[in-house]
Amino acid sequence: MIYEDYNYNKEEDLSCCGICNKQFSEGEPVSVIDFPKGPFRIVCKECMDELRSLSLKDQRTDNGIVEPQNIINELKAESKLWRYMDLAKFINMLKNSTLYFSSPNDFEDIYEGAYGELRNKEAWDSYYLNHAKTSIITAPDNCWHNIEEEKLEVDARRLVEQISMRHDNMIFINCWHENEYESEAMWKMYSKNVENAIAIQTNFGELKKQIGEKASIGKVKYIDYSKRFVGINKVYWNKRKAFEFEREVRAIVHGFDECGKNGIEIKIDLKELICNVYVSPYAPSWFCELVKDIIKKYGYGFDVKYSELREAPF
């Protein structure tokens, strides 16, 4: 089995409760739940009430207060974020007072927006076929409905085809590197073609303040695509483990009105967003002075620092 901890291809019997095996009747209230491992289940009201009771019991502290589970804010307001770029992009940012969001169509990683490895597509289709059947059976009122098997199969396959379509032309992404310090790997990545690279440094709290209402912001999760695939709403929040060094934080915009564009710009207050500007350790001395002049020309007073990686040892 390719997937170590999951069994996506079980083709569950959707006519009975996945816990007690009770046969459903037309119009009976049901719930769809996901287990930590293995596929989802349709369960009857009695089993769902029991699960809720057990869940509350597990979450109850010594003083009897129920605390929410699995709500972890991985990014703190003070978490440092870095955006590495070349001089042209930095000047464009200063000139327009904007952040640029790129279409993933322009990204080099062929797995950008991917669901998994092609060899595992059959398992993905099987899982979502069952998921589609469940959605159809329980729509629109979260009750179980008896649907003729042939019709259910046709409608479910049509639904899977629809949800598996890529929407890269409606997605726009702004990328940051989370780290307390500068990253040599990131400097090398952005200085491989031109030594005159720049990094701006901010924090998560300020980034969220500037664009939080216009974009979703979160950490990228690095996964092994040979052992699992990605859910339909998570494709742009996952990357291969080979990219783990990037420690990427993304701001993602669903630009339905911007369909087909290579990128979009969002207006921000750069004076509030940027804490410091850093110059690549590979850049010559005159470049640092040039960056200071350009910043002054556009009316900003950012503190410009040479990368600390340039400091000489003894």
Side-chain angles (χ1 to χ4, degrees):
M1 190 69 181
I2 292 173
Y3 308 114
E4 291 182 338
D5 296 328
Y6 303 87
N7 186 356
Y8 291 119
N9 195 20
K10 292 186 73 170
E11 299 182 0
E12 309 298 320
D13 183 355
L14 303 179
S15 66
C16 62
C17 175
I19 295 178
C20 69
N21 293 322
K22 167 193 169 185
Q23 286 291 132
F24 295 128
S25 58
E26 177 65 33
E28 178 180 349
V30 293
S31 298
V32 180
I33 61 173
D34 287 299
F35 285 90
K37 297 181 181 182
F40 52 85
R41 300 284 195 281
I42 303 181
V43 300
C44 64
K45 183 179 183 303
E46 292 76 13
C47 286
M48 190 64 209
D49 289 343
E50 180 67 19
L51 286 174
R52 287 197 181 105
S53 176
L54 292 173
S55 177
L56 289 173
K57 183 178 180 181
D58 290 342
Q59 296 173 30
R60 202 170 298 278
T61 59
D62 292 339
N63 60 8
I65 297 176
V66 175
E67 296 181 342
Q69 300 295 301
N70 301 321
I71 301 176
I72 302 173
N73 185 3
E74 294 182 336
L75 286 166
K76 298 179 180 178
E78 62 272 18
S79 296
K80 284 187 178 181
L81 301 178
W82 306 72
R83 182 162 170 79
Y84 294 80
M85 66 190 78
D86 59 33
L87 181 61
K89 290 180 179 178
F90 182 61
I91 292 175
N92 184 73
M93 176 187 293
L94 296 177
K95 178 183 177 182
N96 299 326
S97 190
T98 57
L99 279 180
Y100 185 75
F101 288 69
S102 302
S103 166
N105 286 324
D106 295 331
F107 292 178
E108 293 182 0
D109 182 13
I110 62 173
Y111 271 70
E112 194 64 61
Y115 298 109
E117 292 185 351
L118 181 59
R119 60 177 175 169
N120 298 331
K121 187 178 185 303
E122 185 177 347
W124 191 93
D125 288 344
S126 178
Y127 172 73
Y128 276 101
L129 180 64
N130 220 28
H131 207 301
K133 289 179 179 179
T134 300
S135 299
I136 294 169
I137 288 172
T138 59
D141 51 4
N142 291 325
C143 292
W144 188 86
H145 299 286
N146 187 18
I147 300 175
E148 195 269 323
E149 187 174 342
E150 185 175 339
K151 178 177 175 13
L152 180 61
E153 182 76 17
V154 171
D155 290 347
R157 290 192 179 280
R158 185 184 301 116
L159 183 56
V160 169
E161 184 178 349
Q162 291 174 353
I163 65 176
S164 64
M165 293 176 62
R166 299 279 291 269
H167 299 285
D168 296 358
N169 58 347
M170 299 181 185
I171 299 294
F172 301 93
I173 303 174
N174 182 257
C175 306
W176 297 79
H177 171 74
E178 185 208 5
N179 208 332
E180 189 66 23
Y181 307 97
E182 298 176 59
S183 166
E184 183 187 23
M186 298 301 290
W187 277 127
K188 285 186 175 179
M189 180 185 299
Y190 283 85
S191 299
K192 64 182 178 180
N193 295 322
V194 55
E195 293 180 342
N196 304 336
I198 292 168
I200 61 172
Q201 183 257 309
T202 186
N203 59 61
F204 171 66
E206 191 57 47
L207 180 65
K208 185 177 180 181
K209 177 181 175 182
Q210 291 292 327
I211 62 173
E213 294 183 359
K214 303 172 184 177
S216 301
I217 308 173
K219 282 186 176 184
V220 169
K221 186 176 181 180
Y222 299 93
I223 65 172
D224 185 347
Y225 282 88
S226 70
K227 296 190 173 97
R228 60 175 299 183
F229 44 69
V230 181
I232 56 175
N233 296 319
K234 299 291 184 180
V235 290
Y236 297 103
W237 297 105
N238 289 271
K239 296 184 73 171
R240 289 176 288 177
K241 282 189 171 292
F243 294 89
E244 210 158 7
F245 72 94
E246 292 180 353
R247 298 171 59 94
E248 187 175 342
V249 170
R250 289 186 162 181
I252 298 180
V253 172
H254 295 269
F256 301 107
D257 296 331
E258 314 290 344
C259 182
K261 292 185 177 181
N262 293 328
I264 61 173
E265 292 183 317
I266 291 182
K267 283 282 186 181
I268 55 167
D269 186 344
L270 285 179
K271 291 181 180 179
E272 294 294 326
L273 179 70
I274 298 178
C275 300
N276 295 294
V277 176
Y278 288 81
V279 172
S280 168
Y282 308 110
S285 299
W286 61 263
F287 180 70
C288 187
E289 296 305 314
L290 175 63
V291 172
K292 292 179 181 178
D293 290 343
I294 291 172
I295 289 174
K296 185 177 180 180
K297 174 185 176 181
Y298 284 102
Y300 296 101
F302 304 129
D303 187 15
V304 180
K305 303 179 180 181
Y306 243 126
S307 165
E308 294 181 359
L309 298 178
R310 185 181 173 87
E311 293 296 324
F314 71 90

